[in-house]
């Protein structure tokens, strides 16, 4: 079967019998209104101006496809290059680097080039109401409220079966040859949905694997925030316990307090950490960090080379008497350092208008995050830095730190997203402090400008 066939194809369910199967025979199976019109931000070509608001006509759906009427979608920083037509970090000239201003992009993979020529609705997540489902869909019904998850979960691939739904292999099925046209522009140009999601539109056309039903009365903005890729990843690293567990009474350091780091702080608080050290160059973000659960905040520009040492001191605990459960501050085999570190910095995609961090590539904070972790501790990395890291080899080999890398902070979407929505509903997760810009669909580009300049924590587009 072709790659596109993996998603679009499939056969109708064979004869069904028994209550369970009958239940999944979708009375809800209902095609979307033929010729349904909607608006969507379509990106194509290169440079600023590549994304424009277009009137679109929905194509018929089939198989496991689902049409979702968008309520809210998060404007993720990682998608900003594609939306605003900025050079991709690691491919184009680095922001603030020495390359000539108009140096041609380099090393761009052919798939990226092909995608840049397709008419693509960007956005890799969102929440909304199911408007139509294909005949094979079982997970949701028309009228359900859903999170369209940035990371899919099929439940049956090698990774899903081994408990690593964050690595579900459907994630690798969103290249140019996997995408299917979901709508047409007025001139007949076929339009595709980025990541099989295309959140920057009034309708999202996705597949069953990407959809998680959520049963809640939360507002669209709050729900859009807690279900965003960044909040799920932040809560995933500290509260889903797939990659590693935040222990009661432990010390957690969160390096980078964007929406992901601020969600990780909340997850650490909920998981029972007693000391939460938040590190970010932007004053406003440190203030929000305290509001959502940080006990200590550090400015990496002020700390400079002393940052790791300061975190170790803060993590020392009440005693250094080794016969009394104490820890000492030795760098290699001593006990001090954060028990659990979340790294959430990454590379700048444009120069920030608020306080810039010490390294626009995100490499220095990543190395510092590793070094501030206690021997015996865990570090979860979540960011998109550019370049290579250098660590003292002996710390890496026998230093006792365990590193975890995963999509979504390791979250298991079908299990964890409903749990995270519960945290919102019960007042344990503060969405409002993170969604600092809310715009209707027409305001998307302006809001993305705030996101890329880091003058807002994150932005939610409602549709
Ligand atoms: Zn994202
Ligand atoms: Zn899977």
């Amino acid at each position: 079967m072709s790659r596109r066939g993996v998603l679009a194809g499939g056969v109708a369910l064979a004869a069904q019998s028994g209550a369970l199967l009958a239940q999944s025979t979708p009375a809800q199976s209902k095609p979307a209104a033929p010729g349904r019109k909607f608006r969507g931000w379509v990106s194509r070509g290169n440079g600023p101006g590549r994304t424009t608001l277009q009137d679109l006509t929905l194509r018929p759906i089939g198989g496991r496809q689902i049409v979702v009427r968008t309520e809210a979608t998060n404007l993720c920083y990682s998608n900003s290059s594609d939306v605003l037509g900025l050079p991709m970090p690691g491919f184009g000239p680095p922001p603030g680097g020495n390359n000539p201003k108009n140096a041609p992009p380099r090393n761009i993979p052919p798939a990226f080039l092909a995608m840049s020529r397709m008419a693509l609705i960007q956005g890799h997540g969102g929440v909304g109401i199911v408007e139509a489902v294909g005949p094979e869909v079982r997970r949701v019904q028309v009228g359900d409220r859903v999170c369209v998850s940035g990371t899919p979960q099929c439940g049956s691939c090698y990774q899903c079966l081994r408990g690593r739904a964050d690595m579900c292999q459907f994630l690798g099925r969103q290249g140019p040859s996997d995408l299917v046209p979901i709508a047409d522009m007025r001139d007949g140009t076929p339009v595709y949905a980025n990541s099989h999601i295309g959140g920057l539109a009034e309708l999202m056309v996705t597949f069953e694997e990407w959809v998680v039903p959520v049963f809640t009365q939360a507002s669209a903005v709050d729900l859009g925030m807690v279900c965003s890729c960044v909040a799920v990843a932040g809560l995933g690293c500290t509260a889903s316990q797939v990659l590693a567990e935040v222990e009661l009474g432990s010390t957690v350091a969160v390096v980078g307090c964007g929406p992901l780091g601020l969600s990780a702080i909340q997850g650490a608080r909920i998981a029972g950490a007693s000391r939460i050290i938040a590190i970010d160059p932007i004053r406003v973000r440190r203030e929000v960090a305290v509001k959502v659960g940080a006990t200590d905040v550090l400015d990496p520009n002020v700390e400079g080379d002393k940052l790791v040492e300061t975190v170790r001191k803060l993590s020392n605990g009440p005693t250094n008497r080794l016969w009394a459960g104490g820890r000492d501050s030795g760098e290699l085999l001593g006990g001090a350092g954060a028990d659990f570190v979340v790294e959430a910095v990454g590379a700048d995609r444009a120069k920030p208008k608020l306080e810039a961090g010490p390294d626009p590539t995100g490499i220095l904070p990543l190395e510092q995050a590793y070094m501030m972790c206690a021997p015996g501790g865990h570090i979860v990395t979540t960011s998109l830095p550019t370049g290579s890291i250098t660590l003292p080899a002996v710390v890496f080999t026998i230093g006792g730190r365990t590193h975890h890398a995963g999509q979504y902070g390791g979250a298991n979407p079908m299990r964890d997203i409903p749990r995270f929505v519960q945290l919102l509903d019960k007042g344990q997760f503060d969405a409002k402090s993170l969604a600092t810009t809310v715009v209707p669909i027409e305001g998307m580009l302006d809001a993305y400008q705030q996101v890329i300049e880091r003058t807002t924590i994150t932005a939610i587009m409602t549709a």
Side-chain angles (χ1 to χ4, degrees):
M1 188 180 278
S2 71
R3 287 182 64 144
R4 186 163 289 164
V6 169
L7 283 159
V11 290
L13 286 172
Q16 296 177 345
S17 60
L20 184 62
L21 281 173
Q23 186 190 336
S24 67
T25 309
Q28 82 280 50
S29 172
K30 180 182 132 184
R36 168 92 156 80
K37 307 281 185 198
F38 67 106
R39 291 181 300 166
W41 287 96
V42 176
S43 303
R44 188 165 49 156
N46 297 309
R50 73 185 300 264
T51 303
T52 53
L53 190 59
Q54 299 286 337
D55 292 317
L56 306 172
T57 305
L58 185 67
R59 288 196 175 191
I61 60 164
R64 301 188 315 286
Q65 282 183 301
I66 298 172
V67 180
V68 177
R69 190 169 72 251
T70 308
E71 287 188 273
T73 191
N74 176 52
L75 307 187
C76 179
Y77 189 84
S78 77
N79 205 194
S80 56
S81 310
D82 290 322
V83 173
L84 299 175
L86 305 172
M88 291 275 287
F91 299 119
N98 295 324
N99 292 29
K101 224 177 177 180
N102 293 317
R106 55 182 190 275
N107 306 328
I108 297 189
F112 284 22
L113 277 177
M115 301 267 274
S116 74
R117 289 191 279 264
M118 296 165 80
L120 213 61
I121 302 172
Q122 297 294 334
H124 52 241
V127 296
I129 312 286
V130 173
E131 190 166 290
V133 296
E136 294 167 24
V137 170
R138 291 182 302 174
R139 198 176 279 188
V140 294
Q141 303 183 357
V142 169
D144 279 353
R145 215 167 178 202
V146 295
C147 164
V148 185
S149 168
T151 297
Q153 181 179 16
C154 72
S156 57
C157 76
Y158 182 91
Q159 298 291 358
C160 281
L161 292 175
R162 279 156 183 77
R164 286 301 299 267
D166 65 307
M167 290 283 134
C168 173
Q169 289 160 100
F170 275 75
L171 193 61
R173 294 289 192 273
Q174 47 196 37
S177 60
D178 302 306
L179 298 182
V180 292
I182 56 119
D184 294 289
M185 282 164 55
R186 276 182 173 163
D187 64 3
T189 305
V191 174
Y192 300 81
N194 174 51
S195 308
H196 301 297
I197 297 175
L200 300 182
E202 289 169 335
L203 294 181
M204 293 180 272
V205 181
T206 185
F207 286 89
E208 182 165 27
E209 289 79 7
W210 274 259
V211 163
V212 178
V214 288
F215 299 88
T216 173
Q217 302 300 315
S219 75
V221 173
D222 287 356
L223 189 63
M225 188 66 241
V226 76
C227 290
S228 67
C229 55
V230 280
V232 173
L235 286 169
C237 5
T238 45
S240 81
Q241 305 182 346
V242 171
L243 300 177
E245 185 181 351
V246 172
E247 293 182 351
L248 283 173
S250 61
T251 296
V252 175
V254 177
V255 188
C257 298
L260 198 161
L262 291 168
S263 299
I265 287 169
Q266 303 199 47
R269 165 175 50 76
I270 293 163
S274 58
R275 186 156 218 163
I276 302 173
I277 305 164
I279 300 158
D280 197 279
I282 299 178
R283 182 181 50 80
V284 178
R285 295 186 174 201
R286 295 195 301 273
E287 288 169 3
V288 176
V290 170
K291 191 177 170 199
V292 300
T295 57
D296 303 84
V297 289
L298 297 173
D299 178 348
N301 288 329
V302 169
E303 295 298 323
D305 294 343
K306 298 267 189 291
L307 179 66
V308 170
E309 199 182 313
T310 305
V311 172
R312 286 210 183 108
K313 278 184 187 150
L314 287 170
S315 312
N316 257 343
T319 180
N320 62 0
R321 291 164 45 206
L322 301 188
W323 286 273
R327 351 165 87 172
D328 68 23
S329 57
E331 289 193 6
L332 176 55
L333 293 176
D339 302 301
F340 196 106
V341 179
V342 175
E343 181 276 330
V345 181
D348 285 346
R349 295 182 176 227
K351 205 168 160 33
K353 278 212 168 159
L354 298 185
E355 301 92 322
D359 178 5
T361 67
I363 293 299
L364 176 66
L366 177 52
E367 292 167 347
Q368 289 172 325
Y370 192 86
M371 294 306 290
M372 69 178 65
C373 184
H378 297 267
I379 168 169
V380 179
T381 50
T382 69
S383 73
L384 301 171
T386 55
S388 305
I389 59 171
T390 305
L391 295 170
V394 74
V395 177
F396 183 73
T397 54
I398 62 163
R401 288 111 171 131
T402 304
H403 169 232
H404 308 265
Q407 272 289 320
Y408 244 21
N412 175 310
M414 279 291 282
R415 182 197 67 178
D416 289 334
I417 290 174
R419 299 205 300 190
F420 298 162
V421 171
Q422 282 287 301
L423 297 177
L424 171 74
D425 284 344
K426 302 299 177 199
Q428 293 165 282
F429 180 81
D430 177 353
K432 288 185 171 48
S433 295
L434 275 52
T436 42
T437 296
V438 177
V439 291
I441 188 167
E442 297 84 0
M444 188 282 290
L445 284 176
D446 289 342
Y448 240 122
Q449 200 59 38
Q450 296 175 40
V451 168
I452 192 83
E453 290 171 353
R454 299 197 200 261
T455 52
T456 189
I457 288 170
T458 194
I460 299 280
M461 182 197 94
T462 56

